[in-house]
């Protein structure tokens, strides 16, 4: 990856499994109505509802849906999804939660 002039040094972008605590980033992202509209989240959800939803995703019990964290230099900045996983394929989605990205 070509270094970004706004981020001196090496920039490392990676996917990683979600882990407990990642729901706090989702709570921040859910507080941004522009982000919510862009990714089809319901604006104005309580932090409790967002946390509970993400905790279920982190548990990973749905065989038709998988989510990973997108990191830049180790910082969680978004997520990537495979949804509607089935014999005919799957849907791929990616969202960056912090508007700076």
């Amino acid at each position: 990856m070509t270094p970004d002039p706004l981020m001196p040094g090496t920039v490392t972008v990676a996917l990683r499994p979600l882990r407990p605590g990642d729901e706090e980033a989702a709570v921040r992202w859910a507080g941004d109505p522009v982000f919510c509209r862009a990714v089809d989240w319901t604006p104005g959800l309580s932090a409790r509802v967002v946390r509970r939803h993400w905790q279920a995703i982190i548990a990973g019990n749905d065989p038709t849906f998988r989510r990973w964290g997108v990191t830049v230099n180790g910082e969680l900045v978004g997520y990537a999804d495979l949804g509607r996983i089935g014999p005919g394929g799957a849907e791929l989605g990616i969202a960056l939660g912090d508007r700076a990205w």
Side-chain angles (χ1 to χ4, degrees):
M1 169 180 273
T2 304
D4 183 325
L6 300 176
M7 289 188 61
T10 302
V11 176
T12 302
V13 177
L15 294 179
R16 66 156 171 80
L18 291 176
R19 55 186 179 225
D22 287 346
E23 64 272 16
E24 296 311 314
V27 168
R28 286 192 310 278
W29 303 333
D32 179 351
V34 172
F35 174 79
C36 289
R37 284 191 298 276
V39 296
D40 202 25
W41 287 11
T42 303
L45 291 176
S46 72
R48 180 184 58 80
V49 168
V50 174
R51 278 187 193 100
R52 188 174 58 222
H53 177 73
W54 268 66
Q55 287 165 346
I57 292 171
I58 291 167
N61 296 326
D62 182 349
T64 67
F65 181 81
R66 292 289 179 255
R67 178 170 285 172
W68 296 270
V70 174
T71 64
V72 175
N73 293 343
E75 177 189 350
L76 183 66
V77 298
Y79 61 89
D81 292 339
L82 273 180
R84 300 183 185 173
I85 300 167
E91 267 182 20
L92 173 66
I94 187 166
L96 301 179
D98 183 337
R99 279 201 240 173
W101 290 102

